[in-house]
Amino acid sequence: MPNIVRRACAILSVSLLLAAAPAGAAQLTEAALLRPVPGGTVTQEAVSALAPAYRVTDHTIVAADGTRLHAVLLRQPNARGTILYFGGNGYTIERFGAPVAAFFAPLGVDLMIVDHRGYGMSQGQPTVAALESDGLAAFDYLAGLRGIDRARILVHGQSLGSFTAGHVAAHRPTAGVVLESTITSAEQWATAMIGEGATIDDALRNRGNLRYMPGIAEPLLLLVGADDRVTPASFSQILFDASPLPAGRKTIAIVPGAGHNDALARPEALAAYQRFLAGALGSR
């Protein structure tokens, strides 16, 4: 993985740690968790420098409430499927789209990246409920594009984006779902980050992927850094154990030496992803 990818992951890790720090000593609020970061789009030049196979087009997705969301679609010849990618807190397409493209291009897939509402070039004010709804709008938009096989769309969410990816996977038939650096529930996460007695906003109650495990029937990959201190590997293990999928359709990959945002920069993650795609989409 190019050094620029590792540097970008390190920057994003710092930004998420700052954004996720609760405003109060014992309370997690939605306003503290969601801190929109404005930005532009990613250029073809930036993508070509790291992932020359991809050709980039900008897209506008209209959410259920009329909010306009910014997305980019990166396509390459003979792709075997499409990844719908939702980044973490602090993620914008402009800043981190090219490094993410560098990871996915060798896997032989097309890639759509969506800015969360209020982030990057997307309009609106984010709430967790709105981000989940936006994920469904993004999936439906992608599935309706010419040349995209709806049955070969996989969803990938990292950190905050894993809330959205899990919601999509539980409400739409997909080819597979990847939950990277994810949590079980907002309640358990608040306790881990703040301590016993932590309270959370009503808007965050029961948010997270533990509630979605019974409804996810597609192949599942849980990807997490062994040294992740924001969403520890124990959360992914709980989700893995809670999933009713048989062993051959669910995988947990705990990446040695990786923290919260740099798992994809490790060769172990690429190998795990290659195996996952082979099972979900078949060998190339």
Side-chain angles (χ1 to χ4, degrees), residues 9-10 12-17 20 87-89 158-162 180-183 189 193 223-233 235 255 257-264 266:
C9 290
L12 184 57
S13 181
V14 172
S15 69
L16 186 138
L17 285 167
N89 210 352
Q158 193 269 340
S159 192
L160 176 64
S162 72
E180 178 190 353
S181 306
T182 190
I183 67 168
W189 186 78
M193 293 295 101
L223 186 65
V224 63
D227 298 333
D228 190 338
R229 296 184 180 182
V230 179
T231 56
F235 287 155
V255 183
H260 185 67
N261 284 293
D262 61 346
L264 293 189
R266 308 283 175 155

PDB file of all heavy atoms in Angstrom, residues 9-10 12-17 20 87-89 158-162 180-183 189 193 223-233 235 255 257-264 266:
ATOM      1  N   CYS A   9      -4.615   7.661   6.163  1.00  0.00           N
ATOM      2  CA  CYS A   9      -5.298   6.926   7.236  1.00  0.00           C
ATOM      3  C   CYS A   9      -4.948   7.491   8.596  1.00  0.00           C
ATOM      4  O   CYS A   9      -5.791   7.583   9.491  1.00  0.00           O
ATOM      5  CB  CYS A   9      -4.929   5.444   7.169  1.00  0.00           C
ATOM      6  SG  CYS A   9      -5.624   4.562   5.756  1.00  0.00           S
ATOM      7  N   ALA A  10      -3.684   7.878   8.784  1.00  0.00           N
ATOM      8  CA  ALA A  10      -3.261   8.452  10.062  1.00  0.00           C
ATOM      9  C   ALA A  10      -3.967   9.777  10.326  1.00  0.00           C
ATOM     10  O   ALA A  10      -4.415  10.059  11.444  1.00  0.00           O
ATOM     11  CB  ALA A  10      -1.758   8.645  10.070  1.00  0.00           C
ATOM     12  N   LEU A  12      -6.879  10.710   9.106  1.00  0.00           N
ATOM     13  CA  LEU A  12      -8.275  10.434   9.377  1.00  0.00           C
ATOM     14  C   LEU A  12      -8.463   9.895  10.783  1.00  0.00           C
ATOM     15  O   LEU A  12      -9.448  10.202  11.459  1.00  0.00           O
ATOM     16  CB  LEU A  12      -8.803   9.428   8.355  1.00  0.00           C
ATOM     17  CG  LEU A  12     -10.286   9.084   8.440  1.00  0.00           C
ATOM     18  CD1 LEU A  12     -11.130  10.347   8.330  1.00  0.00           C
ATOM     19  CD2 LEU A  12     -10.672   8.095   7.359  1.00  0.00           C
ATOM     20  N   SER A  13      -7.523   9.093  11.270  1.00  0.00           N
ATOM     21  CA  SER A  13      -7.610   8.568  12.625  1.00  0.00           C
ATOM     22  C   SER A  13      -7.640   9.687  13.644  1.00  0.00           C
ATOM     23  O   SER A  13      -8.444   9.688  14.575  1.00  0.00           O
ATOM     24  CB  SER A  13      -6.436   7.632  12.908  1.00  0.00           C
ATOM     25  OG  SER A  13      -6.513   7.107  14.205  1.00  0.00           O
ATOM     26  N   VAL A  14      -6.756  10.676  13.461  1.00  0.00           N
ATOM     27  CA  VAL A  14      -6.731  11.808  14.387  1.00  0.00           C
ATOM     28  C   VAL A  14      -8.040  12.582  14.328  1.00  0.00           C
ATOM     29  O   VAL A  14      -8.619  12.949  15.353  1.00  0.00           O
ATOM     30  CB  VAL A  14      -5.545  12.733  14.057  1.00  0.00           C
ATOM     31  CG1 VAL A  14      -5.630  14.010  14.890  1.00  0.00           C
ATOM     32  CG2 VAL A  14      -4.233  12.021  14.329  1.00  0.00           C
ATOM     33  N   SER A  15      -8.550  12.810  13.105  1.00  0.00           N
ATOM     34  CA  SER A  15      -9.776  13.586  12.964  1.00  0.00           C
ATOM     35  C   SER A  15     -10.950  12.881  13.610  1.00  0.00           C
ATOM     36  O   SER A  15     -11.812  13.514  14.213  1.00  0.00           O
ATOM     37  CB  SER A  15     -10.083  13.854  11.488  1.00  0.00           C
ATOM     38  OG  SER A  15     -10.458  12.679  10.819  1.00  0.00           O
ATOM     39  N   LEU A  16     -11.020  11.550  13.488  1.00  0.00           N
ATOM     40  CA  LEU A  16     -12.131  10.856  14.103  1.00  0.00           C
ATOM     41  C   LEU A  16     -12.025  10.862  15.611  1.00  0.00           C
ATOM     42  O   LEU A  16     -13.007  11.047  16.312  1.00  0.00           O
ATOM     43  CB  LEU A  16     -12.240   9.418  13.596  1.00  0.00           C
ATOM     44  CG  LEU A  16     -13.503   8.723  14.123  1.00  0.00           C
ATOM     45  CD1 LEU A  16     -14.176   7.900  13.040  1.00  0.00           C
ATOM     46  CD2 LEU A  16     -13.213   7.862  15.329  1.00  0.00           C
ATOM     47  N   LEU A  17     -10.823  10.686  16.125  1.00  0.00           N
ATOM     48  CA  LEU A  17     -10.668  10.712  17.572  1.00  0.00           C
ATOM     49  C   LEU A  17     -11.128  12.051  18.145  1.00  0.00           C
ATOM     50  O   LEU A  17     -11.791  12.107  19.183  1.00  0.00           O
ATOM     51  CB  LEU A  17      -9.210  10.459  17.948  1.00  0.00           C
ATOM     52  CG  LEU A  17      -8.735   9.008  17.817  1.00  0.00           C
ATOM     53  CD1 LEU A  17      -7.223   8.954  17.910  1.00  0.00           C
ATOM     54  CD2 LEU A  17      -9.366   8.146  18.887  1.00  0.00           C
ATOM     55  N   ALA A  20     -15.046  12.267  17.720  1.00  0.00           N
ATOM     56  CA  ALA A  20     -15.833  11.353  18.526  1.00  0.00           C
ATOM     57  C   ALA A  20     -15.761  11.665  20.010  1.00  0.00           C
ATOM     58  O   ALA A  20     -16.511  11.110  20.799  1.00  0.00           O
ATOM     59  CB  ALA A  20     -15.361   9.910  18.299  1.00  0.00           C
ATOM     60  N   GLY A  87     -17.799   6.267   4.580  1.00  0.00           N
ATOM     61  CA  GLY A  87     -16.630   6.492   5.419  1.00  0.00           C
ATOM     62  C   GLY A  87     -16.973   6.839   6.860  1.00  0.00           C
ATOM     63  O   GLY A  87     -18.142   6.933   7.258  1.00  0.00           O
ATOM     64  N   GLY A  88     -15.934   7.068   7.633  1.00  0.00           N
ATOM     65  CA  GLY A  88     -16.096   7.369   9.049  1.00  0.00           C
ATOM     66  C   GLY A  88     -16.359   8.841   9.308  1.00  0.00           C
ATOM     67  O   GLY A  88     -16.541   9.652   8.394  1.00  0.00           O
ATOM     68  N   ASN A  89     -16.375   9.206  10.569  1.00  0.00           N
ATOM     69  CA  ASN A  89     -16.578  10.590  10.974  1.00  0.00           C
ATOM     70  C   ASN A  89     -15.338  11.392  10.570  1.00  0.00           C
ATOM     71  O   ASN A  89     -14.210  10.984  10.831  1.00  0.00           O
ATOM     72  CB  ASN A  89     -16.772  10.655  12.486  1.00  0.00           C
ATOM     73  CG  ASN A  89     -17.655  11.807  12.911  1.00  0.00           C
ATOM     74  OD1 ASN A  89     -18.019  12.662  12.107  1.00  0.00           O
ATOM     75  ND2 ASN A  89     -18.008  11.833  14.182  1.00  0.00           N
ATOM     76  N   GLN A 158     -17.242   2.115   7.327  1.00  0.00           N
ATOM     77  CA  GLN A 158     -16.149   2.210   8.294  1.00  0.00           C
ATOM     78  C   GLN A 158     -16.569   3.130   9.439  1.00  0.00           C
ATOM     79  O   GLN A 158     -17.034   4.241   9.221  1.00  0.00           O
ATOM     80  CB  GLN A 158     -14.879   2.737   7.618  1.00  0.00           C
ATOM     81  CG  GLN A 158     -13.619   2.583   8.447  1.00  0.00           C
ATOM     82  CD  GLN A 158     -13.310   3.775   9.336  1.00  0.00           C
ATOM     83  OE1 GLN A 158     -13.800   4.869   9.115  1.00  0.00           O
ATOM     84  NE2 GLN A 158     -12.493   3.554  10.364  1.00  0.00           N
ATOM     85  N   SER A 159     -16.447   2.662  10.662  1.00  0.00           N
ATOM     86  CA  SER A 159     -16.742   3.460  11.855  1.00  0.00           C
ATOM     87  C   SER A 159     -18.163   4.024  11.784  1.00  0.00           C
ATOM     88  O   SER A 159     -19.131   3.264  11.733  1.00  0.00           O
ATOM     89  CB  SER A 159     -15.691   4.555  12.011  1.00  0.00           C
ATOM     90  OG  SER A 159     -15.773   5.175  13.268  1.00  0.00           O
ATOM     91  N   LEU A 160     -18.317   5.347  11.742  1.00  0.00           N
ATOM     92  CA  LEU A 160     -19.653   5.936  11.632  1.00  0.00           C
ATOM     93  C   LEU A 160     -20.394   5.378  10.417  1.00  0.00           C
ATOM     94  O   LEU A 160     -21.598   5.123  10.477  1.00  0.00           O
ATOM     95  CB  LEU A 160     -19.546   7.458  11.529  1.00  0.00           C
ATOM     96  CG  LEU A 160     -20.854   8.220  11.317  1.00  0.00           C
ATOM     97  CD1 LEU A 160     -21.777   8.052  12.509  1.00  0.00           C
ATOM     98  CD2 LEU A 160     -20.567   9.699  11.056  1.00  0.00           C
ATOM     99  N   GLY A 161     -19.683   5.184   9.326  1.00  0.00           N
ATOM    100  CA  GLY A 161     -20.309   4.640   8.122  1.00  0.00           C
ATOM    101  C   GLY A 161     -20.820   3.227   8.288  1.00  0.00           C
ATOM    102  O   GLY A 161     -21.675   2.778   7.506  1.00  0.00           O
ATOM    103  N   SER A 162     -20.328   2.506   9.299  1.00  0.00           N
ATOM    104  CA  SER A 162     -20.817   1.141   9.514  1.00  0.00           C
ATOM    105  C   SER A 162     -22.255   1.149  10.017  1.00  0.00           C
ATOM    106  O   SER A 162     -22.988   0.174   9.819  1.00  0.00           O
ATOM    107  CB  SER A 162     -19.909   0.388  10.494  1.00  0.00           C
ATOM    108  OG  SER A 162     -20.058   0.862  11.827  1.00  0.00           O
ATOM    109  N   GLU A 180     -16.456  -2.297   9.089  1.00  0.00           N
ATOM    110  CA  GLU A 180     -15.072  -2.038   9.489  1.00  0.00           C
ATOM    111  C   GLU A 180     -15.054  -1.090  10.686  1.00  0.00           C
ATOM    112  O   GLU A 180     -15.703  -0.039  10.667  1.00  0.00           O
ATOM    113  CB  GLU A 180     -14.307  -1.415   8.326  1.00  0.00           C
ATOM    114  CG  GLU A 180     -12.859  -1.063   8.639  1.00  0.00           C
ATOM    115  CD  GLU A 180     -12.209  -0.224   7.553  1.00  0.00           C
ATOM    116  OE1 GLU A 180     -12.813  -0.019   6.491  1.00  0.00           O
ATOM    117  OE2 GLU A 180     -11.078   0.240   7.795  1.00  0.00           O
ATOM    118  N   SER A 181     -14.314  -1.469  11.721  1.00  0.00           N
ATOM    119  CA  SER A 181     -14.189  -0.612  12.915  1.00  0.00           C
ATOM    120  C   SER A 181     -15.563  -0.207  13.423  1.00  0.00           C
ATOM    121  O   SER A 181     -15.874   0.967  13.603  1.00  0.00           O
ATOM    122  CB  SER A 181     -13.358   0.638  12.591  1.00  0.00           C
ATOM    123  OG  SER A 181     -12.123   0.290  12.029  1.00  0.00           O
ATOM    124  N   THR A 182     -16.400  -1.189  13.678  1.00  0.00           N
ATOM    125  CA  THR A 182     -17.791  -0.942  14.007  1.00  0.00           C
ATOM    126  C   THR A 182     -18.063  -1.125  15.500  1.00  0.00           C
ATOM    127  O   THR A 182     -17.163  -1.466  16.273  1.00  0.00           O
ATOM    128  CB  THR A 182     -18.698  -1.862  13.171  1.00  0.00           C
ATOM    129  OG1 THR A 182     -20.067  -1.461  13.322  1.00  0.00           O
ATOM    130  CG2 THR A 182     -18.552  -3.322  13.587  1.00  0.00           C
ATOM    131  N   ILE A 183     -19.317  -0.869  15.895  1.00  0.00           N
ATOM    132  CA  ILE A 183     -19.708  -1.016  17.292  1.00  0.00           C
ATOM    133  C   ILE A 183     -20.912  -1.946  17.387  1.00  0.00           C
ATOM    134  O   ILE A 183     -21.587  -2.217  16.395  1.00  0.00           O
ATOM    135  CB  ILE A 183     -20.045   0.330  17.964  1.00  0.00           C
ATOM    136  CG1 ILE A 183     -21.318   0.938  17.366  1.00  0.00           C
ATOM    137  CG2 ILE A 183     -18.883   1.296  17.875  1.00  0.00           C
ATOM    138  CD1 ILE A 183     -21.867   2.102  18.168  1.00  0.00           C
ATOM    139  N   TRP A 189     -20.826   1.376  23.438  1.00  0.00           N
ATOM    140  CA  TRP A 189     -19.698   2.211  23.045  1.00  0.00           C
ATOM    141  C   TRP A 189     -19.494   3.358  24.025  1.00  0.00           C
ATOM    142  O   TRP A 189     -18.361   3.679  24.404  1.00  0.00           O
ATOM    143  CB  TRP A 189     -19.901   2.737  21.630  1.00  0.00           C
ATOM    144  CG  TRP A 189     -18.716   3.489  21.093  1.00  0.00           C
ATOM    145  CD1 TRP A 189     -17.559   2.966  20.603  1.00  0.00           C
ATOM    146  CD2 TRP A 189     -18.569   4.912  21.007  1.00  0.00           C
ATOM    147  NE1 TRP A 189     -16.699   3.957  20.205  1.00  0.00           N
ATOM    148  CE2 TRP A 189     -17.296   5.163  20.441  1.00  0.00           C
ATOM    149  CE3 TRP A 189     -19.388   5.984  21.347  1.00  0.00           C
ATOM    150  CZ2 TRP A 189     -16.834   6.457  20.213  1.00  0.00           C
ATOM    151  CZ3 TRP A 189     -18.925   7.279  21.113  1.00  0.00           C
ATOM    152  CH2 TRP A 189     -17.658   7.504  20.545  1.00  0.00           C
ATOM    153  N   MET A 193     -16.125   4.169  26.152  1.00  0.00           N
ATOM    154  CA  MET A 193     -15.367   5.404  25.945  1.00  0.00           C
ATOM    155  C   MET A 193     -15.434   6.349  27.143  1.00  0.00           C
ATOM    156  O   MET A 193     -14.465   7.044  27.447  1.00  0.00           O
ATOM    157  CB  MET A 193     -15.887   6.125  24.693  1.00  0.00           C
ATOM    158  CG  MET A 193     -15.645   5.415  23.380  1.00  0.00           C
ATOM    159  SD  MET A 193     -13.876   5.246  22.958  1.00  0.00           S
ATOM    160  CE  MET A 193     -13.585   3.528  23.419  1.00  0.00           C
ATOM    161  N   LEU A 223     -14.200  -6.348   9.962  1.00  0.00           N
ATOM    162  CA  LEU A 223     -12.797  -5.986   9.795  1.00  0.00           C
ATOM    163  C   LEU A 223     -12.437  -4.957  10.864  1.00  0.00           C
ATOM    164  O   LEU A 223     -13.107  -3.926  10.999  1.00  0.00           O
ATOM    165  CB  LEU A 223     -12.595  -5.401   8.399  1.00  0.00           C
ATOM    166  CG  LEU A 223     -11.196  -5.070   7.920  1.00  0.00           C
ATOM    167  CD1 LEU A 223     -10.359  -6.339   7.796  1.00  0.00           C
ATOM    168  CD2 LEU A 223     -11.271  -4.378   6.554  1.00  0.00           C
ATOM    169  N   VAL A 224     -11.383  -5.220  11.627  1.00  0.00           N
ATOM    170  CA  VAL A 224     -11.037  -4.315  12.724  1.00  0.00           C
ATOM    171  C   VAL A 224      -9.548  -4.430  13.042  1.00  0.00           C
ATOM    172  O   VAL A 224      -8.947  -5.495  12.902  1.00  0.00           O
ATOM    173  CB  VAL A 224     -11.888  -4.629  13.976  1.00  0.00           C
ATOM    174  CG1 VAL A 224     -11.611  -6.031  14.503  1.00  0.00           C
ATOM    175  CG2 VAL A 224     -11.689  -3.581  15.065  1.00  0.00           C
ATOM    176  N   GLY A 225      -8.952  -3.317  13.448  1.00  0.00           N
ATOM    177  CA  GLY A 225      -7.564  -3.327  13.863  1.00  0.00           C
ATOM    178  C   GLY A 225      -7.394  -3.915  15.248  1.00  0.00           C
ATOM    179  O   GLY A 225      -8.191  -3.646  16.156  1.00  0.00           O
ATOM    180  N   ALA A 226      -6.349  -4.698  15.426  1.00  0.00           N
ATOM    181  CA  ALA A 226      -6.090  -5.302  16.739  1.00  0.00           C
ATOM    182  C   ALA A 226      -5.810  -4.245  17.789  1.00  0.00           C
ATOM    183  O   ALA A 226      -6.065  -4.460  18.986  1.00  0.00           O
ATOM    184  CB  ALA A 226      -4.910  -6.270  16.636  1.00  0.00           C
ATOM    185  N   ASP A 227      -5.289  -3.077  17.367  1.00  0.00           N
ATOM    186  CA  ASP A 227      -4.956  -2.010  18.304  1.00  0.00           C
ATOM    187  C   ASP A 227      -5.976  -0.869  18.272  1.00  0.00           C
ATOM    188  O   ASP A 227      -5.668   0.250  18.687  1.00  0.00           O
ATOM    189  CB  ASP A 227      -3.566  -1.460  17.980  1.00  0.00           C
ATOM    190  CG  ASP A 227      -2.479  -2.515  18.130  1.00  0.00           C
ATOM    191  OD1 ASP A 227      -2.669  -3.456  18.928  1.00  0.00           O
ATOM    192  OD2 ASP A 227      -1.447  -2.411  17.439  1.00  0.00           O
ATOM    193  N   ASP A 228      -7.178  -1.137  17.781  1.00  0.00           N
ATOM    194  CA  ASP A 228      -8.233  -0.119  17.722  1.00  0.00           C
ATOM    195  C   ASP A 228      -8.712   0.196  19.137  1.00  0.00           C
ATOM    196  O   ASP A 228      -9.239  -0.669  19.829  1.00  0.00           O
ATOM    197  CB  ASP A 228      -9.388  -0.645  16.872  1.00  0.00           C
ATOM    198  CG  ASP A 228     -10.429   0.412  16.557  1.00  0.00           C
ATOM    199  OD1 ASP A 228     -10.511   1.412  17.300  1.00  0.00           O
ATOM    200  OD2 ASP A 228     -11.169   0.233  15.576  1.00  0.00           O
ATOM    201  N   ARG A 229      -8.538   1.447  19.544  1.00  0.00           N
ATOM    202  CA  ARG A 229      -8.967   1.871  20.875  1.00  0.00           C
ATOM    203  C   ARG A 229     -10.269   2.662  20.840  1.00  0.00           C
ATOM    204  O   ARG A 229     -10.784   3.032  21.897  1.00  0.00           O
ATOM    205  CB  ARG A 229      -7.871   2.707  21.540  1.00  0.00           C
ATOM    206  CG  ARG A 229      -6.584   1.928  21.787  1.00  0.00           C
ATOM    207  CD  ARG A 229      -5.553   2.756  22.535  1.00  0.00           C
ATOM    208  NE  ARG A 229      -4.337   1.996  22.761  1.00  0.00           N
ATOM    209  CZ  ARG A 229      -3.277   2.466  23.422  1.00  0.00           C
ATOM    210  NH1 ARG A 229      -3.297   3.697  23.904  1.00  0.00           N
ATOM    211  NH2 ARG A 229      -2.213   1.709  23.581  1.00  0.00           N
ATOM    212  N   VAL A 230     -10.773   2.938  19.642  1.00  0.00           N
ATOM    213  CA  VAL A 230     -12.036   3.667  19.506  1.00  0.00           C
ATOM    214  C   VAL A 230     -13.207   2.690  19.412  1.00  0.00           C
ATOM    215  O   VAL A 230     -14.226   2.854  20.079  1.00  0.00           O
ATOM    216  CB  VAL A 230     -12.000   4.595  18.271  1.00  0.00           C
ATOM    217  CG1 VAL A 230     -13.324   5.331  18.104  1.00  0.00           C
ATOM    218  CG2 VAL A 230     -10.860   5.597  18.400  1.00  0.00           C
ATOM    219  N   THR A 231     -13.061   1.679  18.583  1.00  0.00           N
ATOM    220  CA  THR A 231     -14.060   0.610  18.476  1.00  0.00           C
ATOM    221  C   THR A 231     -13.312  -0.720  18.600  1.00  0.00           C
ATOM    222  O   THR A 231     -12.968  -1.333  17.596  1.00  0.00           O
ATOM    223  CB  THR A 231     -14.826   0.686  17.136  1.00  0.00           C
ATOM    224  OG1 THR A 231     -13.889   0.652  16.045  1.00  0.00           O
ATOM    225  CG2 THR A 231     -15.621   1.979  17.048  1.00  0.00           C
ATOM    226  N   PRO A 232     -13.038  -1.147  19.809  1.00  0.00           N
ATOM    227  CA  PRO A 232     -12.173  -2.312  20.022  1.00  0.00           C
ATOM    228  C   PRO A 232     -12.661  -3.566  19.303  1.00  0.00           C
ATOM    229  O   PRO A 232     -13.850  -3.720  18.991  1.00  0.00           O
ATOM    230  CB  PRO A 232     -12.223  -2.496  21.544  1.00  0.00           C
ATOM    231  CG  PRO A 232     -12.588  -1.150  22.084  1.00  0.00           C
ATOM    232  CD  PRO A 232     -13.493  -0.541  21.068  1.00  0.00           C
ATOM    233  N   ALA A 233     -11.713  -4.462  19.054  1.00  0.00           N
ATOM    234  CA  ALA A 233     -12.018  -5.704  18.350  1.00  0.00           C
ATOM    235  C   ALA A 233     -13.077  -6.525  19.075  1.00  0.00           C
ATOM    236  O   ALA A 233     -13.782  -7.327  18.449  1.00  0.00           O
ATOM    237  CB  ALA A 233     -10.736  -6.523  18.165  1.00  0.00           C
ATOM    238  N   PHE A 235     -15.871  -5.577  20.125  1.00  0.00           N
ATOM    239  CA  PHE A 235     -17.184  -5.261  19.567  1.00  0.00           C
ATOM    240  C   PHE A 235     -17.452  -6.115  18.325  1.00  0.00           C
ATOM    241  O   PHE A 235     -18.547  -6.658  18.149  1.00  0.00           O
ATOM    242  CB  PHE A 235     -17.273  -3.781  19.189  1.00  0.00           C
ATOM    243  CG  PHE A 235     -17.373  -2.839  20.351  1.00  0.00           C
ATOM    244  CD1 PHE A 235     -16.944  -1.524  20.231  1.00  0.00           C
ATOM    245  CD2 PHE A 235     -17.882  -3.247  21.568  1.00  0.00           C
ATOM    246  CE1 PHE A 235     -17.034  -0.639  21.293  1.00  0.00           C
ATOM    247  CE2 PHE A 235     -17.985  -2.374  22.645  1.00  0.00           C
ATOM    248  CZ  PHE A 235     -17.551  -1.068  22.506  1.00  0.00           C
ATOM    249  N   VAL A 255      -6.921  -7.250  12.334  1.00  0.00           N
ATOM    250  CA  VAL A 255      -5.696  -6.928  11.601  1.00  0.00           C
ATOM    251  C   VAL A 255      -4.574  -6.561  12.568  1.00  0.00           C
ATOM    252  O   VAL A 255      -4.677  -5.558  13.293  1.00  0.00           O
ATOM    253  CB  VAL A 255      -5.953  -5.776  10.619  1.00  0.00           C
ATOM    254  CG1 VAL A 255      -4.697  -5.485   9.811  1.00  0.00           C
ATOM    255  CG2 VAL A 255      -7.119  -6.117   9.685  1.00  0.00           C
ATOM    256  N   GLY A 257      -1.511  -4.941  14.373  1.00  0.00           N
ATOM    257  CA  GLY A 257      -0.829  -3.660  14.284  1.00  0.00           C
ATOM    258  C   GLY A 257      -1.670  -2.498  13.813  1.00  0.00           C
ATOM    259  O   GLY A 257      -1.194  -1.360  13.792  1.00  0.00           O
ATOM    260  N   ALA A 258      -2.921  -2.736  13.427  1.00  0.00           N
ATOM    261  CA  ALA A 258      -3.768  -1.665  12.900  1.00  0.00           C
ATOM    262  C   ALA A 258      -4.577  -1.018  14.016  1.00  0.00           C
ATOM    263  O   ALA A 258      -4.974  -1.676  14.982  1.00  0.00           O
ATOM    264  CB  ALA A 258      -4.707  -2.204  11.826  1.00  0.00           C
ATOM    265  N   GLY A 259      -4.817   0.277  13.853  1.00  0.00           N
ATOM    266  CA  GLY A 259      -5.663   1.008  14.781  1.00  0.00           C
ATOM    267  C   GLY A 259      -7.052   1.180  14.220  1.00  0.00           C
ATOM    268  O   GLY A 259      -7.558   0.321  13.494  1.00  0.00           O
ATOM    269  N   HIS A 260      -7.657   2.343  14.505  1.00  0.00           N
ATOM    270  CA  HIS A 260      -9.058   2.534  14.143  1.00  0.00           C
ATOM    271  C   HIS A 260      -9.267   2.786  12.660  1.00  0.00           C
ATOM    272  O   HIS A 260     -10.264   2.345  12.093  1.00  0.00           O
ATOM    273  CB  HIS A 260      -9.644   3.699  14.948  1.00  0.00           C
ATOM    274  CG  HIS A 260     -11.113   3.887  14.735  1.00  0.00           C
ATOM    275  ND1 HIS A 260     -12.042   2.965  15.147  1.00  0.00           N
ATOM    276  CD2 HIS A 260     -11.811   4.895  14.128  1.00  0.00           C
ATOM    277  CE1 HIS A 260     -13.257   3.395  14.818  1.00  0.00           C
ATOM    278  NE2 HIS A 260     -13.141   4.550  14.194  1.00  0.00           N
ATOM    279  N   ASN A 261      -8.366   3.487  12.016  1.00  0.00           N
ATOM    280  CA  ASN A 261      -8.598   3.900  10.640  1.00  0.00           C
ATOM    281  C   ASN A 261      -7.584   3.389   9.619  1.00  0.00           C
ATOM    282  O   ASN A 261      -7.718   3.709   8.437  1.00  0.00           O
ATOM    283  CB  ASN A 261      -8.615   5.432  10.547  1.00  0.00           C
ATOM    284  CG  ASN A 261      -9.903   6.016  11.081  1.00  0.00           C
ATOM    285  OD1 ASN A 261     -10.976   5.834  10.526  1.00  0.00           O
ATOM    286  ND2 ASN A 261      -9.794   6.719  12.200  1.00  0.00           N
ATOM    287  N   ASP A 262      -6.611   2.623  10.030  1.00  0.00           N
ATOM    288  CA  ASP A 262      -5.576   2.212   9.079  1.00  0.00           C
ATOM    289  C   ASP A 262      -5.599   0.723   8.758  1.00  0.00           C
ATOM    290  O   ASP A 262      -4.643   0.188   8.200  1.00  0.00           O
ATOM    291  CB  ASP A 262      -4.194   2.611   9.597  1.00  0.00           C
ATOM    292  CG  ASP A 262      -3.840   1.959  10.927  1.00  0.00           C
ATOM    293  OD1 ASP A 262      -4.747   1.416  11.596  1.00  0.00           O
ATOM    294  OD2 ASP A 262      -2.653   2.001  11.307  1.00  0.00           O
ATOM    295  N   ALA A 263      -6.710   0.051   9.046  1.00  0.00           N
ATOM    296  CA  ALA A 263      -6.764  -1.391   8.769  1.00  0.00           C
ATOM    297  C   ALA A 263      -6.591  -1.675   7.286  1.00  0.00           C
ATOM    298  O   ALA A 263      -5.900  -2.625   6.899  1.00  0.00           O
ATOM    299  CB  ALA A 263      -8.076  -1.981   9.283  1.00  0.00           C
ATOM    300  N   LEU A 264      -7.192  -0.864   6.427  1.00  0.00           N
ATOM    301  CA  LEU A 264      -7.110  -1.121   4.992  1.00  0.00           C
ATOM    302  C   LEU A 264      -5.712  -0.903   4.429  1.00  0.00           C
ATOM    303  O   LEU A 264      -5.433  -1.300   3.290  1.00  0.00           O
ATOM    304  CB  LEU A 264      -8.108  -0.246   4.224  1.00  0.00           C
ATOM    305  CG  LEU A 264      -9.591  -0.533   4.436  1.00  0.00           C
ATOM    306  CD1 LEU A 264     -10.428   0.270   3.443  1.00  0.00           C
ATOM    307  CD2 LEU A 264      -9.909  -2.015   4.321  1.00  0.00           C
ATOM    308  N   ARG A 266      -3.148  -2.320   5.579  1.00  0.00           N
ATOM    309  CA  ARG A 266      -2.361  -3.499   5.939  1.00  0.00           C
ATOM    310  C   ARG A 266      -2.602  -4.639   4.945  1.00  0.00           C
ATOM    311  O   ARG A 266      -3.738  -4.865   4.508  1.00  0.00           O
ATOM    312  CB  ARG A 266      -2.742  -3.976   7.345  1.00  0.00           C
ATOM    313  CG  ARG A 266      -2.681  -2.881   8.410  1.00  0.00           C
ATOM    314  CD  ARG A 266      -1.272  -2.584   8.832  1.00  0.00           C
ATOM    315  NE  ARG A 266      -1.212  -1.453   9.763  1.00  0.00           N
ATOM    316  CZ  ARG A 266      -0.249  -1.260  10.638  1.00  0.00           C
ATOM    317  NH1 ARG A 266       0.747  -2.135  10.705  1.00  0.00           N
ATOM    318  NH2 ARG A 266      -0.250  -0.207  11.422  1.00  0.00           N
TER     319      ARG A 266
END
